[in-house]
Amino acid sequence: MGLVLGLVLFWAPLTRVDLDDMTGYGLVSVLPVATLVSAAVLVLTFFGTLALSRPHRALLCVQVVALVFMLHGLGPAVEELARPPTAWQHLGFVEYITRTGEPHVTLDARYSWPAFFAAVGFVTRAAGVDDLAPIMHWSSVGLELLYLVAFYLILRVMWANWRAKWFAAWLLVAADWVGQDYFAPQGFAFALYLVFLGVLLNWFMPAGETEPWRPRRGPFSRGGVGLRTPGERQVGHPGPGERTVVFVVLLGVFAVTVASHQLTPYLMLFAATGLVLMRRCTLRGLPLLMGVVIAAWLSYMAKAYWEGQTESLFSGIGNLADTLGMSVGGRVTRESPELATIQRTRILIAVAVVSLAFCGLYRRRRWRFDDRVAMVLLFVPFLAIGLQNYGGEITLRVYFFILPGACLLMAYLFFPTAFAIARPVRAVTAAAVCGLLIAGSFLFVRFGNENFERVRAGEVEAFETILRTAPQGRVNLVWQVGRRGPVGAFPQAPWGLAAQERWNYTELQAPSRPEDVRPIVEALRQRPGGVFLTTRGNESYNHYTYGLSADHGRRLVKALSASRDLRPVFRHKDADVFALRTPPPGAPPPVPPATGFSVGKTTWTQVGVLATLLLVISLTAREIARLRGRPSRHPALQGLGYSVWPLLALYVIVVFERFHILGS
């Protein structure tokens, strides 16, 4: 009854929400009180179910799914279009690959990892879907549900009681405020990451070292000193044939991830290596095979990404101080007290989650549990900080990837035993307080940027109008940013949603007096085919991030309308587009020809490609031979072992040669 009442009270008042009334605190500032109260009711009903003496799985499942729609479905429910603007850029990637049949690797670095965009284009075309907007709009809900299904594979091998497992799943939903579950390769790759880990733990867990035993005296017993209960257990007894098939599927999942996203394959590699070193995975040769595949894709298929700039590409490796400074303190604005509060709260939440996870690990060890898998899932994502700053977002991505391990250990803090206590009132009460704080902080920080991250209908219509009315050739899109440039970014708008090869972006620093439109006119005179765009989202971004006045955008539009040099192309409450009344002579620049994948040539490249193929085949065959129980002294297996090392040496030499010659 409480669940039904909470859902009704949560969704019914949202019809009266006016997003234009948001303050600097974002969406939470306009949420009705009834919605916030009902959110607390829904949280408490879940913990009420946890307090029961036995698990009611159907009810718990409904409550966790309801939490997904309540938290991650809140944005889609109150906003007209998919958020954030980057999702529309990804739509443009899908449109371009579907239209041309190949990626344009020099147009954007993400085209060097095109699997996600190509797969979406193929599936939607095969299904006859022409409009991806609804899929984009609700992708956060769909991905979160997919995360839960994949997380189940991890939870089922954990030696823990049912309350800890359900609370961990609940936390995975409530603590995921980072907003990476939108229509993007990152969200899709994270689902593959969870599936990858779940497959490793369910089919390749060593049996001999994970036999559970239960301590007889309690957490502080001195009996059995030095003996610990493994925190994991083998589930089922898959045979060699089944493991072989699953291993091939596992390699397919990894290959798709390598071709989809820049960062996630490294996290997979770190996690697999950690599980092997911790003796929780029998695929001893898997990390080497994964490393070869990652380096091969980067060296051969992503050449356009690093060619001529290897110095800048690898300059961030090991530079921890600068990386942390840029991605933690450097992301807190000094211009908006409200936005700064939200950003600091995000940092505090991340610190609190990690701290509670450490406390949960400590409490489990007091109960003499050896949680090696949870430790690997918690610690190995921090290795990514040593790679590069990832545009100042690396700590955000690290938090995203530590969530599976952190949520599990946080649940262990309240429910540390492998057996369920009949009525753990104090533990459930403490967990409920923690859950209320986490769910409340989610509503505060997840949608704190909504003033400039939500996409308005007029903004999409503005880009469509520009494409429809502009002459053939390149479109020079002029826009303003409230900081001395170049910022190296793009307008806070759904840019690039179609015909990405036609857009050219000219960034102008917004003057303190928006009435001065002379820089805009001069920029439009530089080349034919130019238009100036200002959107309410970009104006809000300049206000909250760079401290421009709240009425800066309104005054700018008024000055543009009064200028005798400009004419309106598109007018809307959400966006305005202007062009010169007298365009500059000549035709717009032609669209440059597309650049597809190119391996590039060096002296040893052809030999390296052959060595890479043979090395992948040898490593895969050797691992399959191990799975099928072939003895190491078998002549075929010995031959594979002897061939790996010279092939690996040749492979490494060619990779270094390519980076040295093509990257300089």
Side-chain angles (χ1 to χ4, degrees):
M1 184 65 182
L3 175 63
V4 176
L5 179 62
L7 289 173
V8 172
L9 291 177
F10 183 88
W11 293 107
L14 294 178
T15 57
R16 301 191 301 270
V17 170
D18 187 353
L19 297 178
D20 293 331
D21 292 338
M22 284 191 294
T23 68
Y25 291 113
L27 185 59
V28 73
S29 63
V30 294
L31 290 181
V33 175
T35 294
L36 298 175
V37 172
S38 62
V41 171
L42 290 172
V43 170
L44 293 176
T45 56
F46 172 80
F47 290 99
T49 308
L50 279 190
L52 299 177
S53 58
R54 62 182 181 87
H56 294 263
R57 293 181 178 84
L59 180 58
L60 288 166
C61 185
V62 170
Q63 289 172 327
V64 173
V65 172
L67 182 75
V68 172
F69 280 89
M70 181 182 75
L71 297 182
H72 299 272
L74 180 60
V78 299
E79 296 176 10
E80 185 178 0
L81 296 173
R83 61 176 300 278
T86 312
W88 294 83
Q89 179 189 0
H90 295 158
L91 176 64
F93 292 159
V94 174
E95 185 272 337
Y96 181 87
I97 292 177
T98 304
R99 172 166 49 88
T100 65
E102 61 179 353
H104 194 329
V105 294
T106 58
L107 190 62
D108 192 286
R110 283 163 287 188
Y111 276 114
S112 293
W113 288 267
F116 170 77
F117 310 118
V120 171
F122 173 78
V123 172
T124 53
R125 173 175 285 189
V129 177
D130 297 324
D131 185 10
L132 284 176
I135 297 175
M136 292 168 54
H137 199 37
W138 290 94
S139 61
S140 58
V141 172
L143 284 174
E144 287 294 329
L145 294 175
L146 188 58
Y147 297 162
L148 287 174
V149 173
F151 193 42
Y152 165 76
L153 292 176
I154 299 175
L155 292 177
R156 72 192 297 259
V157 304
M158 296 301 161
W159 190 242
N161 69 71
W162 64 271
R163 292 189 180 93
K165 293 183 178 182
W166 280 102
F167 187 33
W170 189 93
L171 285 171
L172 185 70
V173 176
D176 183 13
W177 50 262
V178 292
Q180 296 301 312
D181 51 5
Y182 64 98
F183 184 74
Q186 171 69 91
F188 171 70
F190 184 69
L192 296 182
Y193 172 77
L194 294 177
V195 170
F196 180 84
L197 293 175
V199 170
L200 283 183
L201 296 174
N202 279 267
W203 277 271
F204 303 102
M205 178 86 74
E209 300 181 13
T210 57
E211 292 299 329
W213 61 274
R214 184 179 300 175
R216 296 182 179 180
R217 300 188 185 181
F220 305 106
S221 172
R222 296 183 180 179
V225 174
L227 296 176
R228 293 187 181 276
T229 303
E232 311 82 24
R233 53 177 178 161
Q234 187 185 43
V235 178
H237 300 280
E242 181 180 345
R243 288 191 175 192
T244 300
V245 173
V246 173
F247 175 68
V248 173
V249 174
L250 186 74
L251 292 182
V253 170
F254 178 68
V256 171
T257 310
V258 169
S260 297
H261 194 246
Q262 302 97 315
L263 181 64
T264 307
Y266 294 96
L267 275 301
M268 285 182 170
L269 172 61
F270 297 156
T273 304
L275 292 176
V276 170
L277 293 177
M278 289 292 182
R279 298 181 180 179
R280 289 298 180 262
C281 177
T282 58
L283 299 175
R284 300 194 307 271
L286 180 62
L288 178 59
L289 176 57
M290 295 171 66
V292 168
V293 173
I294 292 174
W297 184 274
L298 183 63
S299 175
Y300 296 108
M301 304 305 292
K303 177 182 70 71
Y305 169 66
W306 54 263
E307 187 174 19
Q309 54 179 353
T310 52
E311 183 176 349
S312 61
L313 178 65
F314 296 110
S315 61
I317 295 180
N319 197 356
L320 299 180
D322 290 346
T323 299
L324 288 174
M326 181 181 296
S327 57
V328 180
R331 296 183 65 84
V332 178
T333 182
R334 295 175 176 84
E335 306 298 339
S336 170
E338 299 97 333
L339 187 57
T341 300
I342 292 171
Q343 292 165 340
R344 293 191 187 98
T345 305
R346 289 171 180 159
I347 297 173
L348 291 176
I349 294 171
V351 172
V353 166
V354 174
S355 300
L356 291 174
F358 274 106
C359 292
L361 177 62
Y362 174 76
R363 192 171 187 205
R364 281 277 283 189
R365 293 187 73 81
R366 297 283 292 189
W367 277 92
R368 312 206 62 78
F369 281 97
D370 186 10
D371 294 294
R372 299 186 188 182
V373 170
M375 291 172 61
V376 168
L377 299 184
L378 177 65
F379 291 125
V380 296
F382 286 98
L383 296 175
I385 298 177
L387 294 176
Q388 58 173 301
N389 60 44
Y390 207 74
E393 292 187 355
I394 190 63
T395 54
L396 190 70
R397 305 304 174 97
V398 168
Y399 174 81
F400 188 38
F401 279 93
I402 69 170
L403 280 178
C407 292
L408 185 60
L409 291 173
M410 286 173 64
Y412 288 164
L413 175 62
F414 303 96
F415 310 106
T417 64
F419 52 90
I421 300 174
R423 292 191 179 278
V425 177
R426 287 187 298 178
V428 172
T429 301
V433 173
C434 178
L436 284 171
L437 291 175
I438 291 177
S441 63
F442 178 101
L443 293 173
F444 182 68
V445 301
R446 169 65 182 268
F447 302 105
N449 297 343
E450 220 58 17
N451 279 292
F452 49 85
E453 284 196 345
R454 71 183 179 104
V455 175
R456 300 157 175 84
E459 296 173 348
V460 174
E461 191 177 346
F463 278 90
E464 293 174 343
T465 301
I466 294 172
L467 282 176
R468 188 171 59 250
T469 59
Q472 293 299 313
R474 297 276 277 181
V475 178
N476 181 32
L477 186 72
V478 181
W479 63 289
Q480 286 186 341
V481 64
R483 156 186 161 180
R484 188 180 300 276
V487 174
F490 297 92
Q492 198 69 18
W495 62 275
L497 53 83
Q500 287 192 349
E501 72 278 14
R502 292 189 60 192
W503 298 98
N504 182 71
Y505 299 90
T506 299
E507 170 191 312
L508 300 178
Q509 181 186 359
S512 57
R513 292 186 65 258
E515 288 78 14
D516 183 10
V517 298
R518 288 175 299 175
I520 297 174
V521 174
E522 290 301 319
L524 293 175
R525 286 173 177 168
Q526 292 297 317
R527 61 173 66 93
V531 293
F532 176 79
L533 169 73
T534 181
T535 68
R536 305 301 87 85
N538 197 66
E539 293 161 7
S540 296
Y541 182 74
N542 284 332
H543 169 58
Y544 289 107
T545 305
Y546 299 121
L548 296 187
S549 62
D551 64 344
H552 189 279
R554 179 180 57 79
R555 291 162 58 194
L556 172 64
V557 172
K558 184 178 179 180
L560 293 170
S561 303
S563 173
R564 290 178 292 182
D565 296 317
L566 300 171
R567 63 177 178 86
V569 175
F570 176 80
R571 302 299 304 274
H572 195 278
K573 67 182 182 66
D574 298 330
D576 294 275
V577 180
F578 290 87
L580 291 173
R581 292 187 183 275
T582 306
V591 176
T595 306
F597 277 120
S598 173
V599 172
K601 290 185 179 181
T602 63
T603 304
W604 290 88
T605 290
Q606 292 180 334
V607 176
V609 171
L610 180 60
T612 301
L613 293 175
L614 293 177
L615 182 58
V616 170
I617 293 172
S618 298
L619 290 172
T620 304
R622 191 171 69 162
E623 208 61 40
I624 291 176
R626 286 191 184 133
L627 289 174
R628 300 191 69 83
R630 302 292 173 84
S632 59
R633 60 180 179 274
H634 191 279
L637 187 56
Q638 287 183 343
L640 287 174
Y642 294 145
S643 67
V644 164
W645 303 114
L647 288 173
L648 181 62
L650 181 59
Y651 165 85
V652 172
I653 291 172
V654 174
V655 169
F656 273 103
E657 180 213 28
R658 288 177 55 78
F659 277 106
H660 175 69
I661 295 177
L662 299 178
S664 55

